[in-house]
Amino acid sequence: MIFSIKGSRVSGTIMAPASKSHAQRAIAIAGIANGESVINGCGNSQDVKAAIEIVRSFGVVVKEFPDKLIVTGGMKYPNSPIDCFESGFCLRMFSSIAGTFSNPITLTGQRSLVNRSMHMVEHALAALGVDCRTNKGKLPIKV
């Protein structure tokens, strides 16, 4: 068999997939900030969707577009427990944010998250002087 390979030119643009952890951080920061923030290209993973719903629980307005989010921040005390869905990263990040409020906030989760150990969160917040209680090392967490 004889193969012939000829040179050619390749051109175009490739959009790298969004980092869900960067997007979650950006959503949390935009939620804390006063005013409007625009977050471009954050993807639509379940963890990103969880972060959006969590900041909405804190009274933040999030407008979703195919290529961006517009977040009007200024978190307020939530009226109900914060559901972190299945996102362990959101639970860890938003439990520390909950610790900045003067009244207790309960964080919950779903499916596999309810079976994970929360001792790391409990110990980290306690080291910072934040009162944090779990259900025997599991969810829910009251901060």
Side-chain angles (χ1 to χ4, degrees), residues 111-125:
R111 297 188 188 107
S112 65
L113 192 57
V114 298
N115 296 317
R116 292 191 206 171
S117 172
M118 295 296 133
H119 288 298
M120 178 178 59
V121 174
E122 193 173 23
H123 296 308
L125 291 176

Side-chain angles (χ1 to χ4, degrees), residues 54 58 78 80-85 87-99 104-110 113-114 118 121 125 131-135 138-143:
I54 292 166
F58 281 100
S80 59
I82 302 297
D83 187 348
C84 294
F85 301 90
S87 178
F89 180 74
C90 277
L91 181 108
R92 291 186 299 274
M93 180 170 57
F94 285 102
S95 62
S96 62
I97 291 170
I105 296 175
T106 300
L107 294 99
T108 64
Q110 298 178 21
L113 192 57
V114 298
M118 295 296 133
V121 174
L125 291 176
D131 185 23
C132 176
R133 297 169 197 223
T134 62
N135 180 24
K138 307 278 185 184
L139 290 179
I141 293 179
K142 191 172 193 175
V143 179

Side-chain angles (χ1 to χ4, degrees), residues 65-76:
F65 299 92
D67 60 339
K68 67 182 175 185
L69 299 174
I70 298 177
V71 180
T72 304
M75 288 184 171
K76 299 168 188 68

